[in-house]
Amino acid sequence: VRRFVIIGQNANAAGDFSLDDLPSTSGRLDVLLRCLRAALLVSHGLRRDARAYLVLLGGAGAPKTLRFDGDTARYLRPDERSLAVTVKKVLAVTVGSGSFSEVRPGISSCEAGLEVVLSDVPARGAFLLEAGAPDVRESELEPHDCTFFLGDHLGLSAETRQKLEAFGVAKIGLGPLDLHAEDAIAVVSNELDRRLLGADPR
Ligand SMILES: C[S@@+](CC[C@H](N)C(=O)[O-])C[C@H]1O[C@@H](n2cnc3c(N)ncnc32)[C@H](O)[C@@H]1O
């Protein structure tokens, strides 16, 4: 499984955002929804070997973390609005804070933040994506079993960085420019696809 963990510093955990104006009412949940699409969806289908975690650290009820499993998720559509509707419904369900509870097929929720992710993923093969870090193309990673942590439009807080460093993440980069988080996921996904399937599998 390839896993992507996107940490939304202000992303709304209460679900009380407006579907008609996500960017200014949801703490930029729209950024995380585009990351979700990039991590889990290909043209006409789901990546069965991918999992995405959205860590929502903003608004009343924060922290909350949602987990989307490509192997069991259904009815995920690529448009942001439909993903926002799904997230709103999932956030309306009360869950515990100790571990993930599945609230829809392939979608689980927990009333906790980064800690629940760190107890759900292996420390081996965990990477922090950061511009300027050692290049992914030169990296030794197991494409079947790896985890990538990303910040949102604000990057990562010092507190989150400390937790990730204590977890033992290795830093990995995607070239010289600071990319949008969803584009960073697309580049990593393509790198893993090439390692697993070859550059030209025709
Ligand atoms: C829009 S960027 C964050 C920009 C923010 N101003 C900062 O300085 O961290 C969102 C996330 O995408 C990832 N990212 C963006 N460009 C990258 C690159 N060139 N290499 C690796 N990760 C990158 C990082 O995880 C980053 O936190």
Side-chain angles (χ1 to χ4, degrees):
V1 185
R2 60 181 73 173
R3 309 170 198 84
F4 292 96
V5 183
I6 307 98
I7 299 155
Q9 292 202 46
N10 300 324
N12 180 297
D16 56 353
F17 47 80
S18 159
L19 294 172
D20 294 323
D21 188 8
L22 265 187
S24 43
T25 62
S26 69
R28 297 308 309 273
L29 183 70
D30 58 306
V31 172
L32 277 70
L33 297 176
R34 288 194 294 276
C35 288
L36 173 61
R37 189 207 57 71
L40 251 65
L41 297 177
V42 285
S43 183
H44 303 300
L46 274 166
R47 289 181 177 276
R48 297 288 170 198
D49 63 343
R51 193 172 284 176
Y53 296 83
L54 307 186
V55 182
L56 313 178
L57 299 180
K64 245 184 196 185
T65 300
L66 308 183
R67 187 182 71 195
F68 296 76
D69 292 292
D71 57 344
T72 48
R74 302 205 311 258
Y75 318 121
L76 281 186
R77 297 203 342 219
D79 65 285
E80 230 168 271
R81 188 183 174 95
S82 126
L83 292 175
V85 170
T86 300
V87 165
K88 208 183 230 303
K89 287 179 183 163
V90 169
L91 290 175
V93 179
T94 304
V95 290
S97 60
S99 59
F100 284 103
S101 309
E102 190 169 43
V103 296
R104 302 187 136 210
I107 309 179
S108 305
S109 171
C110 181
E111 292 193 1
L114 187 57
E115 288 70 19
V116 73
V117 180
L118 299 182
S119 65
D120 205 50
V121 306
R124 190 156 179 265
F127 298 94
L128 168 58
L129 282 166
E130 191 171 84
D135 201 293
V136 70
R137 292 191 176 176
E138 318 299 329
S139 71
E140 285 193 18
L141 55 81
E142 171 49 68
H144 285 291
D145 188 11
C146 46
T147 307
F148 301 91
F149 292 87
L150 298 97
D152 61 3
H153 61 298
L154 302 171
L156 294 165
S157 69
E159 188 191 345
T160 296
R161 257 171 208 288
Q162 273 169 12
K163 288 180 189 169
L164 291 176
E165 275 162 24
F167 189 62
V169 293
K171 290 182 183 169
I172 202 167
L174 307 170
L177 298 182
D178 214 358
L179 306 174
H180 286 299
E182 74 258 36
D183 295 339
I185 292 175
V187 173
V188 171
S189 298
N190 183 255
E191 177 71 21
L192 299 179
D193 292 344
R194 285 164 181 262
R195 292 193 190 196
L196 287 167
L197 304 169
D200 184 2
R202 277 173 292 176

